Amino acid sequence: MDKLHPGVIDAIKPFLDYYEQVDGVSYRKAIFIFLSNAGGDLITKTALDFWRAGRKREDIQLKDLEPVLSVGVFNNKHSGLWHSGLIDRNLIDYFIPFLPLEYRHVKMCVRAEMRARGSAVDEDIVTKVTEEMTFFPKDEKIYSDKGCKTVQSRLDFH
């Protein structure tokens, strides 16, 4: 979504709006999934606020993020949903956030990748690969900058 020019997404608005049929076809039971990085900074801020308040990442609920995300992507010129009629007319049912991954989650990714390759899980390698990853904020190093995206390529060197 964030790669789309603002306004382009409104071209599918008739398929999501409250019409019985569009060109003789009912889309009432269709599910549209839009992926976007827009709002990632808002999700990260919320996750950090929870962590700083001594709360777990798993305590974050949809109700903690959904209102912030809806307004955030609507007002973000780079979201693909900037001033979109989809949000303005409440045509998006849910904003499902992808929370940032913690150190322990990255270790889980490394283990899973080792198993997928048919290798025995070596905890020393798991730790080395995870420590090669970058985390933020710089001082606390709580969340992975790239999630698990570079685990496969980093594991190739071990």
Side-chain angles (χ1 to χ4, degrees), residues 6 10 13 20 23 64-65 93 95 98 103 119 129 142 152:
D10 283 337
K13 187 172 161 262
E20 284 300 315
D23 293 330
D64 298 315
L65 288 166
D93 294 324
F95 286 89
F98 292 95
Y103 185 87
S119 302
V129 170
I142 306 301
Q152 285 181 326

Side-chain angles (χ1 to χ4, degrees), residues 53-73:
R55 297 173 70 191
K56 295 179 186 173
R57 171 187 175 274
E58 287 74 15
D59 293 338
I60 299 171
Q61 296 182 12
L62 187 57
K63 67 179 180 173
D64 298 315
L65 288 166
E66 198 168 33
V68 175
L69 285 176
S70 178
V71 172
V73 299

Side-chain angles (χ1 to χ4, degrees), residues 12-32:
I12 67 163
K13 187 172 161 262
F15 302 100
L16 297 170
D17 215 337
Y18 304 103
Y19 300 115
E20 284 300 315
Q21 295 185 348
V22 176
D23 293 330
V25 178
S26 173
Y27 291 91
R28 304 291 295 160
K29 294 183 181 184
I31 297 173
F32 294 85

